[in-house]
């Protein structure tokens, strides 16, 4: 007898890593000026935030076979996130300070579970290099626009992510730079390939989320309304454009629009990283668009603080 596939509310696929942050004043720490390690990365933030809002969640990613990797496995479990698809690789070390993990392969994916998830969330960073690019597109295609499929437009390449790069001395974009700057410095053919990959990914997604830099990389336009309209034209049902201090613009294919100002930020570090996890919760709850976006803006901040 075939075992039934477990259906998760949210499966996220992409980057996790170890964030290093100074201990904040008033928060117990070994000594002044010391730093602590914390679970980080967009895929982890989404899964943990949604789990803390009562959703069943899991992550698909890779870690190094090292102590940082063991720490991430343990912390995910303690946060209520299923880590069965967080696999170790000896090929690279566990990312620190948010460096992207691009070692996910197509033959490692559980396509039945991905298709069964009520929401499948995936990051655009996975499109920046192989083998993750093929795995990202394969996961999106297997969804076939089933239920809700969220593409987070957050391309941030690490050194050496250009698969066509053969000269080790050739200048290359660095992850620490802003996405827009890194994109502008990328070799023209690589930039064109990335935009093509975004276009293909958007055809298989139902929701696109991104800040203005990422939306501009994906669409070629920067004005918020123009970004949202271009994302809808690319195939999604809902476009969510994050505008920093100006808040969030969300536009649905049915004509519904929500323009929500930013919520007050309680702490500078990590503020807003839980937005997409809270957005997933609102979408699963069936709320109207403005309530969903407002909840994501307000609920993401305190939950992020708890991650730190």
């Amino acid at each position: 007898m075939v075992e039934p596939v477990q259906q998760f509310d949210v499966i996220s696929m992409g980057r996790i890593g170890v964030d290093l942050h100074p201990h904040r004043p008033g928060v117990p720490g070994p000594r002044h000026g010391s730093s602590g390690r914390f679970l980080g990365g967009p895929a982890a933030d989404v899964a943990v935030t949604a789990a803390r809002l009562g959703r069943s969640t899991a992550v698909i990613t890779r870690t190094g076979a090292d102590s940082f990797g063991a720490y991430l496995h343990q912390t995910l479990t303690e946060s209520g996130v299923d880590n069965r698809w967080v696999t170790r690789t000896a090929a690279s070390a566990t990312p620190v300070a948010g460096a992207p993990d691009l070692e996910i392969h197509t033959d490692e994916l559980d396509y039945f579970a991905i298709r069964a998830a009520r929401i499948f969330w995936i990051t655009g960073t996975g499109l920046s290099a192989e083998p993750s690019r093929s795995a990202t597109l394969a996961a999106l295609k297997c969804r076939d626009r089933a239920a809700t499929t969220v593409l987070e437009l957050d391309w941030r390449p690490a050194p050496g992510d250009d698969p066509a790069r053969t000269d080790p001395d050739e200048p290359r974009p660095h992850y620490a730079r802003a996405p827009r700057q890194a994109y502008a410095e990328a070799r023209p053919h690589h930039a064109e390939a990335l935009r093509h990959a975004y276009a293909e990914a958007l055809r298989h997604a139902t929701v696109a989320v991104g800040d203005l830099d990422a939306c501009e990389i994906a669409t070629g336009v920067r004005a918020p309304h123009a970004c949202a309209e271009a994302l809808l034209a690319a195939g999604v049902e809902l476009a969510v454009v994050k505008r920093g201090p100006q808040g969030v613009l969300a536009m649905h294919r049915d004509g519904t629009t929500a323009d929500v100002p930013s919520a007050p930020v309680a702490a500078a570090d990590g503020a807003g990283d839980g937005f997409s996890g809270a957005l997933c919760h609102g979408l699963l709850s069936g709320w109207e668009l403005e309530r969903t976006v407002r909840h994501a803006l307000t609920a993401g901040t305190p939950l992020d603080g708890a991650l730190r």
Side-chain angles (χ1 to χ4, degrees), residues 114-115 118-122 127 133-153 196-208 231-238 253:
I114 290 172
R115 184 167 176 84
R118 297 179 65 193
I119 289 183
F120 180 61
W121 179 98
I122 198 163
L127 297 168
R133 178 181 297 155
S134 292
T136 296
L137 293 174
L140 288 168
K141 289 175 182 177
C142 98
R143 285 285 287 180
D144 194 24
R145 297 175 63 85
T148 300
T149 302
V150 182
L151 175 63
E152 184 94 19
L153 303 169
H196 177 76
Y198 260 137
E200 184 175 357
L202 286 166
R203 286 197 294 271
H204 300 286
T206 62
V207 179
L231 291 170
L232 292 176
V236 301
E237 299 294 321
L238 174 63
R253 183 174 296 279

Side-chain angles (χ1 to χ4, degrees), residues 181-209:
Q181 179 185 351
Y183 180 79
E185 294 176 1
R187 286 163 48 170
H189 73 277
H190 183 49
E192 183 63 28
L194 177 65
R195 182 162 285 170
H196 177 76
Y198 260 137
E200 184 175 357
L202 286 166
R203 286 197 294 271
H204 300 286
T206 62
V207 179
V209 182

